Every structure is written in structure tokens, then in C-alpha cells.
Amino acid sequence: MTRTVVVLGAGPAGLPVAHCLLRRTAKQHPDLRIILVSPHDAFYWKFASVRFVLPGQMGEDKYMFPLADYFASYSSKTFELVIGAAETLDPERNAVGVRVGEELREIEYHTLVVATGSRARDGMPWKEVGTTAQTRAALIKLQTAIRDARSIVVAGAGVTGVEFAGELGSAYAKAGLKDVTLVGTEALPLETRTKDDVRKVTKHELEKLGVKYIGGAKVTTGAKDDKKGKTVVTLTRSDGSTETLTADLVVPTFGVVPNTAFAPEVMRDGPLGYMKQDANLRAPGYENGERIFKSSCPLLS
Ligand SMILES: Cc1cc2nc3c(=O)[nH]c(=O)nc-3n(C[C@H](O)[C@H](O)[C@H](O)COP(=O)(O)OP(=O)(O)OC[C@H]3O[C@@H](n4cnc5c(N)ncnc54)[C@H](O)[C@@H]3O)c2cc1C
């Protein structure tokens, strides 16, 4: 009898899981069939998004790779790529509902791998934004806004914010073409778990690129001032005091939202709704929970 493994998500975690199962496990278990579900038909090399959101920096062929090409060598008996997003999960019936165009296709599984990761806030294309076409549209929108802005505020000084500010500095601020300001909640950029000397060097290197760093503050509002066409940004410090600055463009780089809305609430945890998982990355509390796995990005493990 065929055992179907459904992998939800073709990011840095889901893609290698599907490949590994096809290359290694399927040889010993010819009854396995792998179904990879992805809302987009191209693998998105998000690690470089901080650079390619700048207009004219990289061609799409350097960061979007057609998924079908990677699986062309596998027969349709052992592999299927479904372009669609999971919308429902019924762990009692071992079934997921995947939106494919107008249709909600039900796919039954023997084992489910949840590798749906997270997305950036406000539709920012640091990571995929839905389908390939939606991601492309979000990229063009941001690239155009960056091209047209004379002053840019980068909100959030984590790794993405620092790398993005560095790219902006290198391309524009160093040459005096645009004003670039990075706003972070800490006195120094990057997170507190990063060594202080690394954070100091980061700040110094950004300043060498012409990036101004404002620490100890959060971007709390950004309202368009219609008369000047600029955004008035309010910065709030930890003591509650505020200050404002104006910019043509404010780009949020902070926080991610887990892509778990398809899972029943009982399988989700915490205010953001991450998938619940035990020490073996399995879904706890279900009769068949031993066959639902949460996959993490292997690059980090
Ligand atoms: C700018 C930037 C630079 C980074 N640099 C590094 C680095 O140098 N090294 C490093 O280790 N990490 C880096 N990271 C972090 C890294 O990108 C993440 O850890 C990694 O992407 C997590 O992989 P994932 O596959 O678990 O999730 P994701 O990358 O979030 O992928 C999840 C996939 O699931 C899909 N999906 C979403 N919803 C559904 C659904 N309902 N049904 C089916 N599929 C769905 C998404 O479209 C996506 O393709 C960086 C991140 C960013 C933003």
C-alpha cells in the first residue's frame, strides 16, 4: 500500500526534506510517495533579499529558481508538486486542504511535514509573499519606492535591518545620494545575544557607509504628511519620550509571523500561533501526532 508523505512548504526546510526522502528513503521504501505543497512555483533565495530589494542589483535568475526543475528526474508515481497553499488541516482524518486556484483540494497523508515557516510583516519581500507573482509584485513595489526616495528610515536593527541598511549605505548613503537612518530599540544595533564588540563594529561600519544609527527607540507610527508627500515617523524611547523625523520611505524589518493559520487552534501555541511541538519536533496531544512533524531550517541546525 502506498504511504504518502505530504510536505507543506518548499523553503530551506521543506525542499531538502522532500529531496532527502526521494533520494534516500524512497529507495529502501518503494511504497513511499512524496507530495510537496508550495504556494509559489519558484524557490526564493531569501538570504539575499536585503540586496535584491535594491533596484538593479541582481537579476531574478539569481534568486528565483523554478521548483519543477529540481524534481524533473522523479517519476509521477513517487513525486507530485502541488502549487497551492494549505488552508486546512484535519489531523483526525489525516488530511490537508490545499487551495489550488478555485478548488480546495483534499490530500490525505500517512505522514505530514509542516515546513511553512514564517513571513515578514507588512508584506515585505524579505521572505516569500504568497505566490511567485505576489512576491514579484511586492519586490517591484519596494524597489520602486527605494529608487524614488531621497530619505529612508529602516525600522528595526536586527540582522535583516542591519544588512539592509548596509546595502542602502553602500549603494547610496556613502555617495551622498540618499539619507539612510537605522532605528533600533537598543543602544547598539543587533540583538543583545550578539557580543558587544561585534555590535560596536557593526555600528561603526554602518556609519562608515553613511548610515545614521538611532538607538534606544522604536518606530511607533509613520503617517503620511500629504502636503509634503513625506512620512512623519514618531520614535518612542523606553522612558516614553517621543521625537519625530520625516522620511520619504519607512521600511519595517522587524518581527515575523508564523504561517500556521491552516492548523487547528489547538495545535498552535502562544500569542503568535507557532505550531506546538515536542522535543522530537512532533505534534503532541494527538493520536496520530507521531506522524505530524514540524520541520526546521537545516541551515540553522
Ligand atoms: C534577509 C534574510 C537573511 C537571512 N540570512 C540567513 C543566513 O545567512 N543563514 C541562516 O541560517 N538563516 C538566514 N535567514 C533565516 C532563514 O531565511 C530562515 O531561517 C529560513 O528561511 C527558515 O526556513 P523554513 O523553510 O523553515 O521557513 P521559510 O523560509 O519561512 O519557508 C516556508 C515556506 O512555506 C511556504 N508556505 C507558507 N504558507 C504555506 C501554506 N499554507 N502551505 C504551503 N506552504 C506554505 C512559504 O511560501 C515558504 O516557501 C535569513 C532570513 C532573512 C529574511
Side-chain angles (χ1 to χ4, degrees):
M1 205 183 88
T2 304
R3 286 182 299 162
T4 304
V5 180
V6 173
V7 180
L8 299 180
L15 196 72
V17 165
H19 260 297
C20 182
L21 287 168
L22 284 160
R23 277 192 196 147
R24 297 191 203 153
T25 321
K27 278 186 192 142
Q28 292 125 36
H29 303 279
D31 57 334
L32 275 193
R33 181 155 198 269
I34 315 301
I35 299 183
L36 178 62
V37 177
S38 170
H40 43 87
D41 59 8
F43 181 74
Y44 188 59
W45 188 253
K46 61 203 89 181
F47 309 101
S49 61
V50 285
R51 175 167 295 180
F52 61 69
V53 296
L54 272 61
Q57 290 276 328
M58 279 164 94
E60 195 180 284
D61 61 325
K62 298 280 191 299
Y63 56 82
M64 281 205 195
F65 306 94
L67 285 172
D69 290 0
Y70 292 98
F71 296 93
S73 60
Y74 303 110
S75 86
S76 57
K77 266 167 107 184
T78 53
F79 177 74
E80 184 183 355
L81 175 63
V82 176
I83 302 302
E87 279 191 8
T88 60
L89 164 59
D90 185 345
E92 313 295 342
R93 291 175 46 247
N94 289 357
V96 282
V98 177
R99 173 70 53 197
V100 183
E102 297 288 292
E103 185 202 354
L104 189 66
R105 175 175 161 191
E106 184 170 278
I107 305 176
E108 287 182 15
Y109 60 82
H110 170 276
T111 300
L112 180 69
V113 179
V114 177
T116 49
S118 59
R119 62 184 181 279
R121 287 178 190 279
D122 299 331
M124 284 290 121
W126 310 124
K127 303 184 85 180
E128 298 88 343
V129 184
T131 64
T132 301
Q134 286 167 330
T135 304
R136 199 175 277 133
L139 269 172
I140 291 170
K141 190 174 165 202
L142 183 55
Q143 285 167 344
T144 308
I146 290 171
R147 186 198 64 200
D148 295 345
R150 180 66 185 78
S151 50
I152 301 173
V153 168
V154 179
V159 179
T160 302
V162 163
E163 287 187 18
F164 175 52
E167 296 290 346
L168 290 172
S170 165
Y172 312 115
K174 196 176 175 194
L177 300 171
K178 297 182 196 291
D179 297 330
V180 178
T181 306
L182 173 65
V183 180
T185 50
E186 304 282 329
L188 290 169
L190 297 174
E191 283 139 21
T192 39
R193 63 182 171 189
T194 310
K195 282 183 182 169
D196 260 11
D197 50 354
V198 173
R199 300 173 79 193
K200 281 179 194 154
V201 169
T202 302
K203 181 169 178 280
H204 181 62
E205 291 297 321
L206 285 171
E207 283 164 354
K208 279 193 343 203
L209 293 172
V211 175
K212 182 180 173 193
Y213 180 68
I214 299 181
K218 261 186 189 170
V219 172
T220 41
T221 56
K224 248 299 176 266
D225 176 346
D226 282 340
K227 277 181 228 145
K228 293 181 194 149
K230 293 202 179 251
T231 299
V232 180
V233 183
T234 304
L235 304 182
T236 305
R237 297 192 176 273
S238 50
D239 63 4
S241 63
T242 58
E243 66 177 275
T244 57
L245 50 111
T246 54
D248 296 318
L249 179 65
V250 181
V251 185
T253 63
F254 51 87
V256 288
V257 183
N259 297 317
T260 52
F262 63 89
E265 215 168 314
V266 68
M267 294 184 80
R268 293 185 266 147
D269 205 7
L272 284 176
Y274 283 94
M275 292 293 283
K276 286 182 189 165
Q277 56 189 290
D278 66 16
N280 298 311
L281 301 182
R282 292 174 176 187
Y286 275 88
E287 224 175 85
N288 63 351
E290 76 278 6
R291 293 209 300 268
I292 303 177
F293 293 87
K294 164 76 181 67
S295 179
S296 298
C297 174
L299 289 169
L300 295 175
S301 57

